[in-house]
Amino acid sequence: MRVLLIEDDAQLGAYLKKALAEMGAVVDLTEDGREGLLMAASSEYDLLLLDRLLPQVDGLTILRTLRASGIQTPVLILSALGDVDDRVEGLRAGGDDYLVKPPVFSELQARIEALMRRMSPAEAASTRLRLGDLEMDLLTREVSRAGERIALQPREFRLLEYLLRHAGQVVTRTMLLEHVWDYHFDPQTNVIDVHISRLRGKIDKGFAYSLLHTVRGAGYTLRVPDAAESGK
């Protein structure tokens, strides 16, 4: 799940980004309303968490602009403005849910899960990713292969989710650093190799064929091998 968090409280923003990442979300965070509006309008997100009182452009202006542009990304408003009139105004501006700050994270998580369930059937289907006999449930955070449950650490889960979303494509190290580790530079470590090795051991070892392949000089790809490769 890809989330855009627009929150100008740096401490709260950092806390929510970390907590959301631990539940498997890939989170982009900005403290600026104008930048948030540009990000929400130019990239695809599964969910927008939106503060109301923001510098440059306020939250409700962001929300109304997105809806007027036909962008229907689910929006959960997070605001210190918690009166009935404030909540009604936020929902009528196009918000899908409203939570008063500071949020209790367990409640926020439950509301996010409810929003995902209310999505159209076609969109809801995207909360389950599949490749061959490998399955990932993005809501329950369960992974299985051939019916056998596989336990993954949070970073391994994010890595596998990204690979599944790009199944059949070559995923480069730069793509992984930016989208799984949130690095926009190469730290010159073997962090990717270590996690790929662990993930490969968990999803491929002991099964009939391998899904995770190294593309020499390019990166990695997750795909079902053809009959010749699998030896069938």
Side-chain angles (χ1 to χ4, degrees), residues 120-169:
S120 69
E123 290 172 319
S126 68
T127 62
R128 294 186 70 87
L129 303 176
R130 295 184 179 86
L131 178 68
D133 55 0
L134 178 67
E135 294 190 26
M136 168 180 279
D137 189 317
L138 299 175
L139 295 182
T140 65
R141 296 180 54 75
E142 292 179 352
V143 174
S144 64
R145 182 168 179 189
E148 180 178 329
R149 184 76 61 85
I150 298 173
L152 298 180
Q153 296 297 316
R155 188 73 69 180
E156 295 166 350
F157 188 95
R158 289 181 63 179
L159 176 58
L160 180 59
E161 179 187 353
Y162 190 78
L163 290 166
L164 277 167
R165 289 187 183 280
H166 296 81
Q169 305 171 18

Side-chain angles (χ1 to χ4, degrees), residues 50-63:
L50 179 65
D51 189 10
R52 284 187 59 168
L53 303 176
L54 294 164
Q56 303 299 324
V57 179
D58 70 89
L60 291 191
T61 298
I62 292 173
L63 185 50

Side-chain angles (χ1 to χ4, degrees), residues 97-117:
D97 200 355
Y98 198 111
L99 192 58
V100 178
K101 293 196 302 187
V104 176
F105 188 76
S106 59
E107 181 182 7
L108 175 62
Q109 182 176 2
R111 287 173 181 261
I112 290 173
E113 291 171 355
L115 276 176
M116 295 298 101
R117 288 196 298 270

Side-chain angles (χ1 to χ4, degrees), residues 159-218:
L159 176 58
L160 180 59
E161 179 187 353
Y162 190 78
L163 290 166
L164 277 167
R165 289 187 183 280
H166 296 81
Q169 305 171 18
V170 175
V171 174
T172 67
R173 294 174 61 88
T174 299
M175 293 165 69
L176 293 176
L177 285 171
E178 290 186 350
H179 295 280
V180 179
W181 275 267
D182 296 327
Y183 290 164
H184 295 279
F185 62 95
D186 190 342
Q188 299 294 314
T189 70
N190 65 344
V191 61
I192 291 178
D193 305 290
V194 170
H195 281 78
I196 285 286
S197 177
R198 289 177 182 166
L199 183 62
R200 179 176 277 133
K202 292 184 177 182
I203 68 170
D204 280 343
K205 188 175 181 180
F207 293 97
Y209 52 85
S210 296
L211 293 171
L212 182 52
H213 307 269
T214 299
V215 181
R216 190 177 300 276

